[in-house]
């Protein structure tokens, strides 16, 4: 049994800049036509990125991630830090299978769940109760699992009084608390958390950090935690991954 | 360290027809909840609530009776107008709602798809299922009126071909799903198509024997209507329930073949687009 939860090998992601909508139809038609005639793709630099490793990309493209390699051990809480636009979100999006990498591979050991934005899939018109089920299912839980944890979720969120009220009547704090509560009760082997602590009051933030600590230390789950909040990162993680313009650097953090 | 122990590997490219049906099955609760959401959210804060399911086809039928039956005087093959139009509307609504919704599934769910992963196929499937539920409610309305005409006025004679009904529904669902998947892939990139879509579906209705019987079309142009894979479905439905219509094994085989091809094609295209559509939508 290996003790590596995530292994990332030569991962790259290329994005096109500018307006994607304009000119794509003519590009596409050109490409099809060339293929039809058996010629090379005239826009090969866009679609066949695999075959050119030597950084030659046109002006309107950008490597959001470039040849990234790293491993995460089971049960580790790894912080991911970096400036805006350093590629954090892209990395998380690829990890959570929202978009595909341009090249490279990610090997995973265990079920993965991501919390890129709490409250995803909440429906304004539906009650807190209905939304717990819907959101839980969107995040990958079965109905039976949600039923089992329902009381715990409601308890954690602290909105039991409003559980049968449509969530559009909730305050934003209540909304986020309920959403985080659902997500926190997922039982993935790998949990990806992106900037969820920016909302909610201090007490709730403390609760969240505590929950994440529990999840990793007691239940042995792996957590990837993205934040700009350095004190939260230092509080939770031994190591952090510093992303800078698409490349990574592993740093160990001094205990606080 | 055992290198072969990975539970999942994320790669830039997938197999052509890898539909991940196993995963779809694992997410079946989500499908159920999405269907539930569709119903609950549609009729929250309305007074009449689910009654709207009935009001829509009734109003359309009345309109068709007035416009096509009384003013334009398009024949109905001797079938009472109300039940004739209601039959066509009930079936066509199912098809067009399925198609309309699945065709914009990427665009409508971009916010959700961009934040969390689940098998994308769940979304179009949930659309088909929730329209199926709606259809069964509207079909109940049709049955009530149909029973009245069969037993009280005895103006229509149904026949054995009624047993084809579930199969016709399956066929329509499959066709709408397949087409919807193809169009959804295109609308995620070329937004122009969205404007064309509802217009095309409307036109398509007129090219299908919904408001007229196939028998009223001159022999010369019949092949044109028969090219439309929806034609035989509506005709067989009416033949079974209302006793008037055209049934041929050739035309139904054509519709079946069309549906199968469209479904395979749609799956391939959907599968290809779902991986990177977040970068282009």
């Amino acid at each position: 049994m290996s003790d590596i939860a995530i292994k990332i090998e030569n991962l790259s992601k290329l994005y096109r800049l500018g307006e994607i909508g304009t000119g794509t139809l003519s590009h596409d038609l050109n490409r099809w036509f060339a293929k039809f005639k058996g010629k090379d793709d005239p826009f090969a630099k866009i679609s066949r990125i695999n075959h050119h490793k030597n950084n030659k990309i046109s002006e309107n493209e950008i490597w959001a991630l470039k040849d990234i390699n790293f491993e995460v051990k089971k049960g580790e809480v790894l912080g991911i830090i970096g400036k805006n636009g350093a590629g954090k979100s892209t990395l998380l999006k690829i990890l959570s299978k929202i978009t595909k990498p341009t090249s490279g591979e990610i090997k995973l050991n265990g079920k993965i769940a991501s919390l890129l934005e709490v409250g995803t899939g909440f429906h304004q018109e539906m009650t807190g109760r209905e939304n717990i089920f819907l959101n839980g299912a969107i995040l990958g839980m079965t109905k039976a699992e949600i039923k089992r944890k329902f009381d715990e979720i409601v308890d954690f969120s602290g909105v039991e009084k409003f559980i049968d009220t449509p969530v559009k009547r909730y305050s934003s704090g209540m909304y986020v608390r309920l959403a985080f509560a659902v997500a926190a009760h997922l039982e993935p082997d790998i949990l990806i958390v992106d900037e969820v602590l920016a909302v909610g009051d201090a007490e709730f933030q403390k609760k969240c950090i505590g929950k994440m600590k529990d999840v990793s230390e007691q239940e042995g789950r792996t957590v990837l935690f993205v934040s700009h909040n350095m004190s939260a990162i230092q509080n939770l993680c031994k190591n952090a991954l510093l992303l800078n313009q698409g490349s990574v650097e592993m740093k160990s953090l001094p205990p606080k | 360290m055992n290198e072969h122990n990975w539970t999942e590997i994320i790669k830039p490219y997938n197999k052509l027809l890898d539909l991940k049906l196993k995963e779809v099955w694992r997410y079946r609760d989500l499908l159920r909840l999405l269907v539930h959401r569709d119903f609950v959210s549609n009729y929250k804060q309305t007074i009449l609530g689910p009654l709207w399911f009935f009001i829509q086809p009734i109003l359309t039928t009345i309109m068709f009776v007035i416009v096509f039956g009384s003013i334009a005087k398009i024949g109905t093959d001797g079938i009472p107008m109300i039940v004739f139009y209601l039959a066509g509307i009930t079936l066509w609504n199912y098809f067009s709602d399925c198609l309309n919704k699945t065709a914009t599934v990427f665009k409508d769910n971009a916010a959700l798809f961009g934040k969390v992963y689940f098998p994308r196929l769940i979304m179009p499937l949930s659309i088909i299922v929730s329209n199926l539920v709606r259809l069964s409610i509207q079909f109940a309305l049709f049955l009530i009126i149909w029973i009245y005409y069969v037993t009280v006025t005895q103006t229509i004679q149904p026949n054995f071909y009624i047993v084809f009904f579930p199969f016709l529904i399956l066929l329509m669902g499959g066709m709408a799903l397949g087409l919807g998947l193809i169009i959804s892939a295109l609308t995620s990139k070329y937004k122009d198509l969205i404007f064309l879509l509802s217009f095309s579906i409307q036109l398509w209705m007129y090219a299908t024997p919904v408001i007229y019987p196939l028998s009223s079309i001159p022999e010369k142009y019949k092949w044109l209507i028969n090219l439309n894979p929806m034609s035989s479905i509506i005709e067989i439905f009416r033949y079974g329930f209302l006793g008037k219509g055209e049934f041929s094994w050739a035309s139904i085989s054509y519709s079946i073949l069309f549906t199968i091809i469209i479904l395979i094609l749609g799956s391939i295209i959907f599968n290809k687009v779902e991986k990177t559509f977040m970068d282009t939508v």
Side-chain angles (χ1 to χ4, degrees), chain A residues 1-2 4 7 13 15 20 25 28 47 50 94-110 116-117 120-121 123 125-126 130 133-134 137-140 142-143 168-169, chain B residues 1-3 5-14 23 26-27 29-30 32-34 36-37 40-41 44-45 111-118 120 186 189-190 274-280:
Chain A
M1 193 60 201
S2 87
I4 304 285
K7 184 174 182 160
K13 175 79 184 175
Y15 275 119
I20 290 182
L25 181 59
D28 286 353
S47 61
N50 266 2
I94 295 173
L95 267 170
S96 44
K97 295 193 283 187
I98 286 160
T99 186
K100 285 269 167 184
T102 309
S103 66
E105 260 180 22
I106 299 178
K107 291 168 177 166
L108 298 171
N109 213 334
L116 298 198
E117 194 174 281
T120 307
H123 195 289
E125 297 287 344
M126 293 171 68
E130 289 167 323
F133 279 94
L134 184 64
I138 286 176
L139 294 171
T142 63
K143 206 171 173 182
K168 65 177 173 183
R169 312 244 184 270
Chain B
M1 196 174 84
N2 187 358
E3 276 284 341
N5 223 358
W6 305 109
T7 48
E8 188 158 15
I9 296 179
I10 299 173
K11 282 189 223 153
Y13 299 100
N14 276 3
E23 213 183 5
R26 202 160 56 74
Y27 274 83
D29 281 339
L30 174 59
R32 243 195 345 247
L33 285 161
L34 285 172
H36 174 76
R37 179 194 69 175
V40 175
S41 61
K44 281 227 164 147
Q45 286 203 4
L112 184 56
F113 284 3
K115 293 294 176 205
V116 58
Y117 173 82
F118 52 86
R120 303 308 190 209
L186 296 169
K189 215 169 174 190
Y190 312 113
E274 69 158 26
K275 279 168 288 189
T276 51
F277 96 99
M278 265 328 291
D279 307 336
T280 56

